[in-house]
Structure formats: structure tokens, C-alpha cells
Amino acid sequence: MDETKGTTGSGTDFIRRQIATDNESGRYGGRVVTRFPPEPNGYLHVGHAMAICLNFGIAEEFGGQCHLRYDDTNPEKESEEFARSMERDIRWLGFDWGEHLYYASDYFERMYECAEVLIEKGLAYVDSQPLEAIREGRGTVTEPGTASPYRDRSVEENLDLFRRMRGGEFEDGAHVLRGKIDLASPNMLLRDPVLYRIRHAHHYRQGDAWCIYPLYDYAHCLEDAFEDVTHSVCTLEFDNNRALYDWVLDNVGFDEPRPHQYEWAGLDLENAVLSKRAIKPLVDAGLVTGWDDPRLATIAAFRRRGVPPEALRLLSDLVGVSKSGARTEEAKLDFAVREVLNATAPRVMAVLDPLKVVVTNYPAGSGEVFDAPYFPHDVPGEGTRSVPFSRELYIERTDFSERPPKGFRRLVPGGEVRLRYAYVIRCDDVVKDADGRVTELRCSYDTASSGGAVSDGRKVKGTVQWVSASHALEAEVRLFEPLLLDSPDLPDGAPEIDITERVNPNSLIVLSGVKIEPSVAGDDPETRYQFERTGYFRRDPVDSVGDRLVFNRIVGLKSTYRDPAATTGAGDEVESDVPPARADRPPSAPPAPSVKPQISDERIAARAADPDLAARFDRYQSQLGLTSEQADLLTGTRAAGDMFEAALTVHDDAVALAGWIVTEVRGLLGDRGLTELPFGGKELGRLAGLVAGGQVSRLAAKDVLARMAEVGGDPAALVERMGLSAVTDEGALGEVIATTLAAWPDKVEEYRAGKKNLLGLFVGEVMKATRGAADPQAVRKLLTQRLDS
RNA sequence: UGCCCCGUGGUGUAACUGGCAACACGUCGGAUUCUGGUUCCGAAGAGUCUAGGUUCGAUCCCUAGCGGGGCAACCA
């Protein structure tokens, strides 16, 4: 299973780690059930593709299952057509939900029953306020909400009203069902969220069976629970919704093990246009040809363009899973596409911008056929095709230069170039039209170079692709550039630029009159080719019909050649001896030293309210020698100070005790309060005493403390039971050190060569070997002695 | 502004219980090459947002701050 982890880094992501943890603890009895839950209201895009790869990928890796579920709870936006397109997209990506295809709308009855449970528990009520009033009553982020006058309706009344809502007695908006949670919650979603609304609308699957519809936060968790989903993965923006997810499940009565929600960042791909909001106006304005326009980032567009599904799966691995919303460079997608295509795409020759070449010493009217392999020697594919050669050919206009820049390796007047798989030719003459534009090259071929091999051993550095003029197929080729121009930085408050104004006029480049070798005529139209030296292409499935050949460029080939003229026009590239200034980081980032003492307002307020705390704060500093920070942290609450005082009764090193409480104990707390710990100040004091007395090392003491935080107990007994008594005997230590160093011979070498921070590694290993019982300072001393001698 | 999430090379992610800052993309060299592709080899590039603290030792624990993002629909 480790092999499937992906290629980014050696670790695994937090979601898979969570699942592994759950499997170990037996939380779900080893079951792993994920789901991909789109609303069928549009087309899927690369972002969805990543979610699909994640959820289905996890299911595959853990031997679980992934459900495809349509979250079709909003009758106004959904359609069967969208649902079918999504299935097609998911299959295309290579995933299969088997029998696990579900519709949220099939659960309406069960959801309704759950709502009655909530009402009966007094946890939901029918609110008859208009929408605006509900909104207002929710308060603002800084002020709590106010209760609806209907909030305290009786269970009976609520039940009656809710049933009549379902019965269709009321108009849209007349009532809603709300959860009764907390109008003052800092999480706005918990301020009595709307669970059901009345909507007399036709649902694409349920027809008119329902006129009340559940809202996302209520419905989604139930859908997961009904399907016994274990790990419900969604994107970051649902983070705040998790509390509500849990509230609904807990109160409806889904006990553990029940589904839990986890959020990850999803994909934000550079230059990708994917949201419905963005695409719709572009389609409407005719600026793109449809939802599958290859410049878009919908899955349909990728498919039409020719991107192989494996590339998207690879991208998913490359991007990884995290909680930091970050942008993926387009180069990463390009890499994934090339990586897949390099290994699979047959090579073929095409000339995008043809320049005629007449081979003057090749007899007119005759010709021959070369047998050319589809794959180069270093790619495992097999097969060949016939490539006809004749007196008149086309080569790429950019493969000839009258005044070649330095480093130019193609045809020049009087120079030689190899026609791939055919002959070496020499340019004898350049024919131009009245405007001085090159119209034809007159060349002669080396008759001894058939197949491209040079007999006399001279070097021909350039090889170019070519197509026989009389045999060539004519095609249209489409190249794609980013669809949108960068939006300029707008001053705050300026209206946003309409997306239709940002369309890059050169986002679609149509090349007509492209010459392609005839072999492609008989190929499967789905074939993805590499046009040698130019890129990866595939026939456009929509427009390449009948005799008409239309190719889309999927992605260009990577190129390390840069035409110097194209960049600066200054001819040879001059190596600048002054490195360009790093423009992205302002050199003088304001350091702004923190003048403010590190004391929180909250604790100051606590002391102002409680004179005892204030007194302690002063005494700790003046009499016990604590820093203001330590004193502050110990006097923000009663509990901290009490623990400290209690500890002081058994051990008198105030500074050390403060350190233990301020950093170590607080670090173990998690969500717990100080008073919820199964040990008190006295135990902590005794532990500190053991450390001070040398009976146990500080490191081992931390393990003891961790155990105390879990189950409590007497420190001395724990030290004994855990076998952590300090090892101070230098002989015993010396032995451990010797074995450690013997186990890391190469690291020892590196250390001696100067990588001094490896000392930490050795110390760590020795500490590990003694299970933290050794005295690290002694270890360090012995280690340096031995290593430096 | 209230709450929540997140800060590690140019980019995306790793770093086990606190102990070698790693991998990939990109960039730049070199070798190979009948594709300026591929493959191979190599290099540069971060000392982990900042400032304090705890520790023998901090990317990791504590504190204060800074920065970025999200939420605040009878959408999902």
C-alpha cells in the first residue's frame, strides 16, 4: 500500500493518515467508505477531478468503496442531463462506483422523519417570519442574534405546522423549519440554521412529490449517515459547516461510529477557468464555443482537447492533499500531460507553417517510401508507418534561417540538415518573392544518406521533420493560450472588470493549411500523437468530421531552445554579471519589533477583576523571580496559579515549575481545562523534584507527564513502572554510544567532515536506545569526546 | 469586525514520539540523442512568517504579534 502514496514527499497526507488511524483503532471495523457528492447543476471541472481522484483513490487504496451521490436537494437548478455528463466524466477518469449510485432526493422521506425527531426533541421549530426578518435576527459577526417570536412554539404546534408545510398548505416562504441551537454562537451557521424551506417547484426526479426541500447542512450529513459513509471529505470552505454536520447527526441520533467530515484545500489551478459563474457569461457571449471549449478547464474540455485521463490522475498525486489553500502552477499540469503522452503517443510528422523545399537532384515524378518507427528508441512502443518521399517537400518555416542566430542548428544557406528518416539535404538556393519573403528553398540531397544515416562520418547537427508536398494531408490546427488576461490590480471598491472583457483575443490560434503525413488518415480518430518537434495533438472530436482534419494541440513540447532574437532582438545572449534583483520580496520588510509586552488583554482583565490574581502576579515576579510572561500565564486563571502554588509546596524551584506548567502542561492540554487533568500541582511538584534530584532525566519526565495527563498516578511510581530511571553510569552510557556510532558509520563520517548538527541525531539515537532515561548533557559530552578524538 | 483554517526554496508537498530540513515541478549547466523531445548526471535555490520563551536540542511545544484565505444564502 505504501507504493500508492503518491509522488510528493515521503509522507502521506492527513486524510489518509486519519483513515489509517481509524483502521488501527478499529473505529469503523476496518470499513472505509468515501463519496463524491456533486450537485447535478453544471459540468465537472479539474477541481472536481481532483476530488474524484482523492475519494475514489482512497477507496481503492484502502479496499473500501466510494459512492457517487447526487446532492440534488435544490429543485431549481438540477437536471438529469448534468447527472449523466458527470457519470461520463468520472468513468472517463477511470473510476467506477459499482452499484453505489445514490440520489439525495431518494432520501427525502427519511430526512423528513429525522426532522420530526428533531422537532419532538424540541431542537427544531417552524419559523413564520419572512426571509428578511430571519436574516436580521441572525445578528452580525459582532452582535448575537435575536430570537424569533416563533422560537418557543410548542412541539405539537411545530409538528402540526411542519406536516402542513409538507402537505402543501403554504406558499413558498411562508414558513421554514429551523434548528434551535444558539443565537449567540460565534459560528454564524449555528444561529438557528434553516433546515427546510417551502418550494413549490418541479424536481427533475421527484416531480411534484415534495414541496419542502432540505438545505445542504441538514441534508448532507444525513446522506452520509444513511449510506454509512466513514470519511466525508470536502473542501476548506465547509470548515465552519462541520459543527452543524455534527450537531445534526448527534441530535438525530446517529451514534458513533458515524461519518465525520474532513476538509482539504482542493485545487486552484493557475490560468484555469472553471467556475460556472465564470463560464456561463463566456458561453452566452459566444466567446467560447461551449462548456467543452478546449480553453476551459472543465473535464469535458480536457477530454475534447485530448488530455489523457491518466494525466489528471498524475496531477492529483503531484498536487497532494493539504489544508493550505494554494495555487498550482500550470507547468505542473503540462508536466503531467507530457509525462503520460511521451510514453504513449505515436510520433508522426507535421508541418504547421510550411515552407516549400525542392530537392533539385531528386528525379521529378519518382518517389520512395520510408519505413519510420512510431516511437523513438528510448520509448517502449512498437510499430512503424510508411512515409512517402518525393522531390517537393515542406519543412517548417522556422527551421530555416538566412541569418541564423548563434546556436541555430537547422537549415541555413549552404548548410546541411537531416530530414528525419530520409536524407541529408543542403540548401543551395533561396527563392524569394517581390517582397523579399522566402517562398522556396532549392536543395540537393546526399544520395548516400538514405534513411538519414551519414556515410562519411561527418556531423549533421540538425534534424527536422518534413512532409512530401504531393502526399501531404491538409489540416487545421488549433493552439490554445490562456483564456483570460490578468486582471489589473484594482483600487479597493472599484467595480470588478466583467469577465467577458478579460478574454485573451489570442487565446485561440487557428492554423490552416497545415501539412501532415498521410499515414494518419487511417488511424483511430482518438489517437493522440506527438507531432515530432512541435507537441502533442489529437483530432478535435467535434469539428474533425468527414474529410476535414482538425487537430487540437494538447500541450507543446518542452524546449530548451530559445531564439535569442525572439526575446531581446539583441542577437547573442549576453550573460549578465549582475544577478537580477529579487523583485518579489521587498528588501526592507518592516521588522517592527514587538514593543508590546507579550501579555494578553484577556489575562489582564482577569487580574483586574480578581485582586488575588493581581497579587500573585506581582509576588511571582518580585519574590520568586519569574519573568513577567511566566507570571502572566500563571495568573490568567485561578487554576494555573493554584496548580503552581500546590507544586511549590513539594518542590521549591519556582522557575522550573513555572516552565513545566507554562509550556509542558499547557502543551498537553488540548481542549481540556487545567482542572480536568487527572493530576494536580503536588504531583507535578514531585515530578520536578525527581528531575532536580537526578533520578529521572527531563526528557523521560516528559513521557511521565504525558502518562500522568492520560491516567494520572504518582510520578515516582510511574518512573519505576515505565523503567525510566536515569542512567548516569558512564560505562553503560559508553556502551550505548559505541553501538549507536557503529550503527551510523556514514553519518559519523559526515560529522567528522564538518556537519556538526548531526550531533543531534546521535544524541537522539542514544536517547531513543535508553528510552529517554539517559542524561542528555552527559550523552552530548561523551559523544563529542568520542567523535572529536 | 466575530469566529474558523492556513503560513517550510520560485511553485506544490514531506519531515515518525522534539533529533540529518527531504521529494516533485520549475530554473540553470553537462552527457546522450536522427525530436533543441526523452533519458542520465549535476548545480543553484529555504534554515521553516516575525519576535520572545521552554529544552542538551524546536519546522514540531508555549506566548505575543504579522500575513493569507474562508464563513456570515430559505445555494451547495
Side-chain angles (χ1 to χ4, degrees):
Chain A
M1 188 169 291
D2 284 350
E3 271 63 50
T4 56
K5 268 191 246 172
T7 52
T8 50
S10 56
T12 186
D13 60 79
F14 73 99
I15 292 176
R16 279 175 244 251
R17 201 142 47 208
Q18 174 71 46
I19 295 172
T21 305
D22 291 341
N23 278 349
E24 262 163 49
S25 70
R27 183 184 199 177
Y28 296 105
R31 282 171 41 246
V32 175
V33 182
T34 57
R35 101 266 98 108
F36 174 64
E39 182 187 16
N41 69 344
Y43 289 91
L44 261 22
H45 54 66
V46 247
H48 294 114
M50 297 302 108
I52 292 166
C53 291
L54 213 215
N55 282 295
F56 281 93
I58 284 174
E60 277 176 11
E61 286 162 41
F62 289 91
Q65 53 187 241
C66 180
H67 299 181
L68 170 58
R69 177 176 71 231
Y70 292 111
D71 208 355
D72 54 354
T73 56
N74 182 355
E76 281 151 337
K77 308 199 297 191
E78 296 150 3
S79 83
E80 200 68 42
E81 180 207 335
F82 289 130
R84 298 292 84 79
S85 87
M86 289 175 175
E87 279 161 41
R88 187 180 135 121
D89 289 345
I90 298 167
R91 283 222 174 80
W92 177 76
L93 273 170
F95 295 106
D96 187 8
W97 49 90
E99 67 218 39
H100 301 289
L101 172 63
Y102 303 104
Y103 293 84
S105 54
D106 288 348
Y107 304 136
F108 282 168
E109 187 66 42
R110 287 175 79 183
M111 289 179 184
Y112 176 85
E113 286 162 18
C114 294
E116 289 206 350
V117 170
L118 251 22
I119 294 172
E120 275 159 14
K121 285 184 171 176
L123 291 173
Y125 62 97
V126 173
D127 195 347
S128 308
Q129 296 186 103
L131 192 154
E132 300 73 37
I134 291 178
R135 224 175 254 172
E136 243 165 69
R138 197 129 35 209
T140 68
V141 289
T142 44
E143 305 152 45
T146 50
S148 160
Y150 305 100
R151 194 172 199 255
D152 291 317
R153 285 217 254 232
S154 69
V155 168
E156 292 69 34
E157 188 182 3
N158 281 324
L159 227 36
D160 173 60
L161 248 16
F162 187 52
R163 285 173 183 159
R164 287 161 61 198
M165 278 167 66
R166 177 187 182 168
E169 286 188 35
F170 309 113
E171 310 219 317
D172 287 5
H175 308 280
V176 292
L177 184 72
R178 296 178 73 179
K180 198 189 237 180
I181 309 182
D182 179 5
L183 266 342
S185 172
N187 181 349
M188 297 292 287
L189 291 171
L190 259 22
R191 321 248 263 224
D192 285 13
V194 174
L195 270 24
Y196 267 94
R197 56 177 176 156
I198 301 173
R199 194 100 324 170
H200 291 272
H202 189 82
H203 188 279
Y204 77 104
R205 287 191 91 239
Q206 302 300 328
D208 300 313
W210 292 85
C211 62
I212 56 172
Y213 289 92
L215 265 10
Y216 170 85
D217 284 303
Y218 173 72
H220 199 91
C221 52
L222 288 176
E223 295 157 22
D224 286 342
F226 294 156
E227 292 174 18
D228 283 324
V229 164
T230 56
H231 302 267
S232 181
V233 178
C234 62
T235 43
L236 246 29
E237 69 263 28
F238 291 98
D239 186 356
N240 290 314
N241 301 58
R242 190 176 58 242
L244 190 43
Y245 185 105
D246 292 335
W247 182 88
V248 171
L249 290 190
D250 288 341
N251 288 298
V252 164
F254 283 96
D255 298 327
E256 295 290 352
R258 61 153 173 87
H260 284 269
Q261 175 185 304
Y262 305 90
E263 310 87 26
W264 68 299
L267 175 80
D268 181 10
L269 183 64
E270 192 183 38
N271 287 332
V273 181
L274 30 81
S275 79
K276 287 184 265 288
R277 213 187 61 238
I279 297 176
K280 185 86 167 34
L282 296 176
V283 175
D284 290 347
L287 292 165
V288 295
T289 57
W291 291 82
D292 63 348
D293 187 299
R295 288 167 291 180
L296 265 14
T298 58
I299 295 182
F302 275 75
R303 181 169 53 227
R304 176 170 176 185
R305 183 163 174 167
V307 171
E310 296 80 6
L312 260 18
R313 305 240 293 266
L314 176 58
L315 180 68
S316 162
D317 275 350
L318 255 23
V319 166
V321 178
S322 78
K323 287 184 85 110
S324 41
R327 170 155 289 216
T328 297
E329 288 178 330
E330 205 181 0
K332 192 129 358 197
L333 204 215
D334 292 346
F335 165 80
V337 174
R338 291 190 192 114
E339 180 77 0
V340 170
L341 258 16
N342 176 54
T344 54
R347 320 284 135 130
V348 117
M349 293 196 286
V351 174
L352 300 197
D353 185 7
L355 173 61
K356 183 170 258 184
V357 167
V358 177
V359 186
T360 52
N361 58 340
Y362 196 86
S366 72
E368 64 191 295
V369 168
F370 290 101
D371 203 31
Y374 272 123
F375 294 94
H377 65 280
D378 50 5
V379 173
E382 279 175 13
T384 61
R385 82 283 185 184
S386 301
V387 186
F389 183 87
S390 65
R391 181 181 158 90
E392 296 200 352
L393 315 165
Y394 293 109
I395 66 165
E396 205 71 63
R397 187 166 282 278
T398 52
D399 282 340
F400 170 75
S401 175
E402 268 197 292
R403 289 185 297 124
K406 198 179 165 204
F408 191 77
R409 291 212 233 138
R410 289 104 97 147
L411 234 208
V412 300
E416 278 189 324
V417 82
R418 174 168 23 242
L419 299 175
R420 179 140 233 226
Y421 301 125
Y423 293 105
V424 171
I425 59 170
R426 177 180 299 278
C427 177
D428 303 316
D429 211 356
V430 179
V431 181
K432 298 181 187 173
D433 64 12
D435 301 329
R437 183 179 152 88
V438 177
T439 55
E440 185 180 304
L441 264 21
R442 303 193 60 87
C443 303
S444 50
Y445 81 108
D446 174 354
T447 54
S449 64
S450 179
V454 188
S455 49
D456 60 3
R458 72 184 190 278
K459 276 260 193 217
V460 177
K461 47 190 193 318
T463 299
V464 302
Q465 81 276 20
W466 53 276
V467 174
S468 165
S470 56
H471 301 89
L473 264 22
E474 289 257 336
E476 172 181 321
V477 159
R478 297 172 181 173
L479 311 180
F480 310 106
E481 300 295 329
L483 216 208
L484 298 183
L485 269 4
D486 287 342
S487 59
D489 285 333
L490 297 169
D492 279 349
E496 218 167 274
I497 297 182
D498 192 276
I499 192 161
T500 56
E501 313 263 305
R502 289 181 46 208
V503 171
N504 174 5
N506 300 316
S507 59
L508 172 63
I509 299 167
V510 178
L511 269 25
S512 52
V514 169
K515 310 291 183 184
I516 301 185
E517 65 166 74
S519 73
V520 304
D523 289 338
D524 181 346
E526 300 271 303
T527 309
R528 298 179 179 90
Y529 299 98
Q530 183 192 103
F531 289 177
E532 293 215 41
R533 304 210 308 133
T534 73
Y536 295 97
F537 293 79
R538 193 191 68 147
R539 270 194 228 187
D540 185 273
V542 176
D543 295 328
S544 193
V545 288
D547 290 343
R548 188 162 171 231
L549 277 180
V550 180
F551 282 90
N552 292 330
R553 181 168 73 183
I554 306 166
V555 67
L557 245 34
K558 202 173 138 184
S559 172
T560 52
Y561 174 69
R562 254 177 296 279
D563 183 356
T567 50
T568 57
D572 293 356
E573 264 174 304
V574 180
E575 203 60 36
S576 164
D577 47 4
V578 183
R582 291 264 286 277
D584 41 346
R585 234 176 245 183
S588 57
S594 78
V595 190
K596 199 178 165 189
Q598 299 181 8
I599 289 177
S600 86
D601 298 343
E602 206 174 312
R603 291 189 294 271
I604 291 173
R607 282 191 292 276
D610 185 339
D612 286 349
L613 289 180
R616 279 175 174 180
F617 181 64
D618 291 336
R619 183 161 57 84
Y620 290 172
Q621 289 176 83
S622 59
Q623 291 176 24
L624 300 177
L626 303 192
T627 65
S628 61
E629 189 184 324
Q630 287 170 323
D632 171 50
L633 288 165
L634 290 174
T635 56
T637 59
R638 278 275 167 153
D642 290 349
M643 175 177 268
F644 179 60
E645 304 262 335
L648 230 31
T649 61
V650 290
H651 185 66
D652 60 3
D653 188 343
V655 174
L657 286 173
W660 277 102
I661 295 177
V662 165
T663 65
E664 308 300 349
V665 176
R666 287 180 86 101
L668 288 167
L669 243 30
D671 294 332
R672 288 178 293 186
L674 227 36
T675 48
E676 294 165 62
L677 255 18
F679 68 88
K682 286 209 161 94
E683 286 76 18
L684 183 70
R686 281 205 286 276
L687 182 64
L690 293 175
V691 175
Q695 286 104 313
V696 63
S697 77
R698 213 197 115 96
L699 184 61
K702 281 178 68 176
D703 285 346
V704 174
L705 186 69
R707 179 61 70 85
M708 285 163 64
E710 277 168 36
V711 295
D714 177 67
L718 279 172
V719 168
E720 194 68 25
R721 184 137 42 90
M722 295 165 76
L724 293 175
S725 297
V727 178
T728 43
D729 171 37
E730 298 219 344
L733 267 187
E735 237 169 83
V736 178
I737 286 171
T739 30
T740 302
L741 292 183
W744 300 89
D746 45 340
K747 297 292 177 187
V748 171
E749 196 130 320
E750 279 179 52
Y751 176 89
R752 291 201 165 120
K755 195 170 175 185
K756 296 292 175 199
N757 63 351
L758 279 172
L759 187 63
L761 170 70
F762 300 130
V763 176
E765 289 302 313
V766 172
M767 295 304 287
K768 226 177 274 175
T770 60
R771 297 171 61 219
D775 170 18
Q777 280 179 79
V779 171
R780 188 166 278 256
K781 204 179 87 201
L782 289 169
L783 229 22
T784 17
Q785 274 172 17
R786 191 149 321 187
L787 284 164
D788 293 342
S789 64

